[in-house]
Amino acid sequence: MSTTTPFLSPVRSWLGLTVILIGCFAVAAVGSSVTTPEIGGWYATLQKPPFNPPNWIFGPVWTLLYAMMAVAAWLVWRRQGVTGARGALALFVLQLLLNLAWSILFFGLRSPGAALVDILLLWSAILLTSRTFAIHSRPAGLLLLPYLAWVSFAAVLNGWIWWHNPG
């Protein structure tokens, strides 16, 4: 396995990273546009567990996680190209879409139950993506592990909120 795709210039490599970062942060922006209006409204009215982090922590954590996701995808793309890593990159896109769907379900539709189903699918997709990325680039697979850990914690929060906020 080569370490980089053939004929990948430094300019093309950085351009690829830029495109992937823009894609990831576009998903983050759409999710945030659904989430942010509900933080002080509907979400504030929910019972939350005692281990719920303060609201201000979510923005910095998600910013770091989206950047790490983008770098992971870039490492795989840089090593294998789209053709060589089609399955891995398709899983990456799937987990991004499931991530976005969670915001829409939980905050946009105010449905913690549907969001819980989604986050369990998201968790599985992240795990599969990490394992598949690791085949192409070990660092890429490892870069997704903090994301998996955070989504694990988020799933527990989501489950608690769903259980303690009927209706």
Side-chain angles (χ1 to χ4, degrees), residues 20-37 58-70 92 95-104 107 147:
I20 295 167
L21 280 165
I22 289 170
C24 286
F25 281 101
V27 169
V30 173
S32 180
S33 73
V34 174
T35 301
T36 302
F58 291 94
V61 168
W62 277 112
T63 299
L64 178 60
L65 292 175
Y66 274 108
M68 292 170 72
M69 283 186 252
F92 181 77
Q95 67 79 27
L96 272 178
L97 293 174
L98 288 167
N99 186 313
L100 175 58
W102 185 88
S103 294
I104 293 167
F107 288 102
Y147 176 35

Side-chain angles (χ1 to χ4, degrees), residues 80-147:
Q80 296 292 302
V82 171
T83 305
R86 181 167 291 151
L89 295 172
L91 281 171
F92 181 77
V93 170
L94 173 64
Q95 67 79 27
L96 272 178
L97 293 174
L98 288 167
N99 186 313
L100 175 58
W102 185 88
S103 294
I104 293 167
L105 292 168
F106 189 92
F107 288 102
L109 298 177
R110 299 177 179 182
S111 180
L116 183 58
V117 171
D118 177 82
I119 205 168
L120 296 174
L121 293 170
L122 172 60
W123 187 93
S124 299
I126 297 166
L127 180 63
L128 286 171
T129 304
S130 176
R131 292 180 73 183
T132 306
F133 271 21
I135 294 167
H136 300 284
S137 166
R138 182 171 163 81
L142 294 173
L143 278 168
L144 294 182
L145 294 181
Y147 176 35

Side-chain angles (χ1 to χ4, degrees), residues 32 35-63 102 106-107 150 153 157 161:
S32 180
T35 301
T36 302
E38 297 299 333
I39 297 296
W42 171 76
Y43 182 72
T45 68
L46 297 175
Q47 290 183 28
K48 291 176 227 36
F51 53 88
N52 196 70
N55 291 338
W56 65 265
I57 199 78
F58 291 94
V61 168
W62 277 112
T63 299
W102 185 88
F106 189 92
F107 288 102
W150 183 256
F153 178 64
L157 289 174
I161 289 169

